C-alpha cells in the first residue's frame, strides 16, 4: 500500500475567489433589456417600411402612431376604452376559471366526470368563440352578458384540458400521501393536485387569457357596431370607418401593450412566487 502523503496547496493570496462578470454581460442577462431591444428593432423596421410605403392611409409611420397614442392617452379616450374592455374580460375570465375548476374536479373524482370532460372538450374546444356571438346576442341581448358568454367559452375548454392533463401527471406517490392523510374531494384537489399540477395550470391560464383577450377585441367589433359603444375593439372599428388609420394602430398598440403587461408582469410574478420558487420549473 502506498504511504499517505499530504501536499500543501499554495495560498491564494490576494487573488479573488470569483471574478464578477463585465457590466455588459450583467446588463444583457436582464430579460427586460433584451425584450426592449427587440421592441425597438420592430419599431425601427415599422418606421422604415412606412416611409418606404409613403401612404399614411395604409400604413402610418411609427411616429404618427405614437403621436395618436399619446393624444388618446391625454384625452382619456384610450384609457376609458381599455378600462371597459378589461372590466368585461375580468368577468368572463374569472367565470371561465371557476367553470374549468368545477369540471376538472368532477373529472378527477368520477368516471362519468372524465367522460363528460372528454365529450364536451371534443365538441366545443374546436368551435371558435366568436362564432357563438350571434347566438349570444339572441340569448342575452345587447349587453355585457353576450361578451361574457363568449369569453367563458374561450377560457373554459383550453384551461380545463391543461388542468386535467396536469392532474393526470401528478405522481402516484403524492396521491397516496394525500389519501393517507384522509384528504378527499375538494380538499384533495386543492392540497395535493393543484400545487403539483400548477405549471400546467399556469400554462392553461396563459392560453385562456390569450384566447379571451383576442376574442373580446373581435367580439367588440360586432358588439360595438350593434350597440354604439364598447371597448378597444369598438375604438378600432370606429376609427377605421372614419379613416383615422393612425388611431387604428394606436388602438392595436394599446391591445399589444396590455397583453405584454399581463404576460410579463402578472403571470411572471405568479411564476416567481410559486413554481420557480418551489423548484418545479426552470
Amino acid at each position: 500500500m502506498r504511504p499517505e502523503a499530504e501536499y500543501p496547496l499554495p495560498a491564494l493570496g490576494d487573488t479573488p475567489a470569483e471574478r464578477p462578470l463585465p457590466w455588459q454581460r450583467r446588463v444583457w442577462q436582464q430579460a427586460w433589456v433584451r425584450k426592449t431591444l427587440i421592441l425597438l428593432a420592430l419599431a425601427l423596421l415599422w418606421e422604415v417600411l412606412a416611409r418606404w410605403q409613403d401612404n399614411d392611409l395604409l400604413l402610418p409611420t411609427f411616429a404618427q402612431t405614437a403621436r395618436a397614442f399619446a393624444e388618446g392617452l391625454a384625452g382619456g379616450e384610450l384609457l376609458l376604452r381599455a378600462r371597459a374592455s378589461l372590466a368585461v374580460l375580468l368577468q368572463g375570465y374569472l367565470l371561465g376559471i371557476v367553470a374549468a375548476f368545477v369540471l376538472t374536479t368532477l373529472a378527477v373524482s368520477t368516471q362519468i366526470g372524465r367522460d363528460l370532460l372528454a365529450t364536451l372538450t371534443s365538441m366545443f374546444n374546436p368551435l371558435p368563440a366568436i362564432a357563438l356571438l350571434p347566438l349570444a346576442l339572441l340569448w342575452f341581448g345587447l349587453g355585457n352578458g353576450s361578451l361574457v358568454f363568449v369569453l367563458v367559452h374561450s377560457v373554459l375548454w383550453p384551461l380545463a384540458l391543461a388542468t386535467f392533463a396536469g392532474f393526470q401527471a401528478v405522481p402516484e406517490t403524492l396521491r397516496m400521501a394525500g389519501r393517507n392523510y384522509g384528504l378527499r374531494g375538494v380538499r384533495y384537489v386543492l392540497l395535493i393536485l393543484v400545487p403539483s399540477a400548477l405549471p400546467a395550470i399556469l400554462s392553461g391560464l396563459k392560453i385562456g387569457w390569450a384566447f379571451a383577450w383576442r376574442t373580446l377585441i373581435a367580439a367588440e367589433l360586432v358588439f360595438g357596431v350593434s350597440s354604439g359603444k364598447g371597448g378597444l375593439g369598438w375604438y378600432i372599428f370606429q376609427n377605421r370607418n372614419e379613416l383615422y388609420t393612425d388611431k387604428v394602430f394606436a388602438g392595436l398598440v394599446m391591445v399589444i401593450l396590455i397583453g405584454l403587461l399581463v404576460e410579463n408582469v402578472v403571470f411572471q410574478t405568479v411564476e416567481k412566487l410559486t413554481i420557480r420558487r418551489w423548484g418545479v420549473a426552470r
Side-chain angles (χ1 to χ4, degrees):
M1 297 179 61
R2 293 182 181 179
E4 294 184 0
E6 294 183 1
Y7 300 95
L9 297 176
L12 291 176
D14 297 333
T15 305
E18 60 181 1
R19 182 172 56 186
L21 293 174
W23 67 270
Q24 299 92 335
R25 291 278 302 276
R26 294 199 301 269
V27 171
W28 183 251
Q29 286 180 349
Q30 301 296 322
W32 66 272
V33 174
R34 299 192 301 271
K35 293 178 181 179
T36 302
L37 291 177
I38 292 174
L39 293 177
L40 291 177
L42 292 176
L44 179 62
L45 179 62
W46 179 359
E47 185 74 18
V48 171
L49 288 177
R51 291 184 181 275
W52 178 75
Q53 178 75 23
D54 196 20
N55 190 337
D56 297 341
L57 185 62
L58 295 179
L59 182 63
T61 64
F62 178 78
Q64 292 173 331
T65 303
R67 189 182 310 113
F69 183 79
E71 291 174 355
L73 291 180
E77 185 177 10
L78 265 178
L79 293 177
L80 184 64
R81 300 295 187 182
R83 185 177 65 180
S85 294
L86 290 175
V88 178
L89 177 69
L90 190 60
Q91 298 177 35
Y93 191 64
L94 293 179
L95 286 176
I97 291 174
V98 173
F101 179 76
V102 172
L103 196 58
T104 50
T105 301
L106 183 63
V108 298
S109 303
T110 61
Q111 182 63 48
I112 188 64
R114 287 188 286 275
D115 295 338
L116 178 65
L117 177 63
T119 304
L120 292 180
T121 51
S122 299
M123 292 171 55
F124 295 115
N125 193 38
L127 183 65
I130 195 65
L132 296 176
L133 185 60
L135 289 177
L137 291 174
L138 288 175
W139 294 341
F140 303 101
L142 301 177
N144 288 340
S146 301
L147 295 178
V148 171
F149 176 78
V150 295
L151 289 177
V152 171
H153 174 83
S154 62
V155 174
L156 172 57
W157 310 115
L159 179 56
L161 282 175
T163 304
F164 184 70
F167 287 170
Q168 292 294 97
V170 175
E172 189 63 28
T173 304
L174 293 177
R175 296 173 180 272
M176 290 188 295
R179 288 192 290 267
N180 288 338
Y181 276 99
L183 299 177
R184 297 291 185 274
V186 177
R187 294 182 68 240
Y188 173 74
V189 173
L190 289 177
L191 297 179
I192 299 298
L193 297 184
V194 170
S196 302
L198 197 55
I201 295 174
L202 284 178
S203 297
L205 289 173
K206 289 181 181 180
I207 296 173
W209 147 257
F211 282 4
W213 186 226
R214 67 188 185 187
T215 298
L216 175 63
I217 300 302
E220 282 181 343
L221 295 175
V222 179
F223 177 73
V225 173
S226 302
S227 63
K229 60 181 180 179
L232 286 172
W234 169 240
Y235 176 86
I236 294 170
F237 187 86
Q238 185 181 32
N239 285 289
R240 197 274 296 177
N241 287 338
E242 297 175 0
L243 298 181
Y244 293 134
T245 313
D246 54 347
K247 293 185 177 181
V248 172
F249 275 88
L252 294 175
V253 169
M254 190 68 175
V255 172
I256 293 172
L257 289 179
I258 292 175
L260 290 174
L261 184 67
V262 173
E263 177 71 23
N264 294 284
V265 176
V266 177
F267 284 117
Q268 282 200 3
T269 302
V270 174
E271 288 181 356
K272 289 180 181 178
L273 295 176
T274 55
I275 58 176
R276 292 186 185 177
R277 183 180 179 183
W278 302 337
V280 180
R282 296 179 61 182

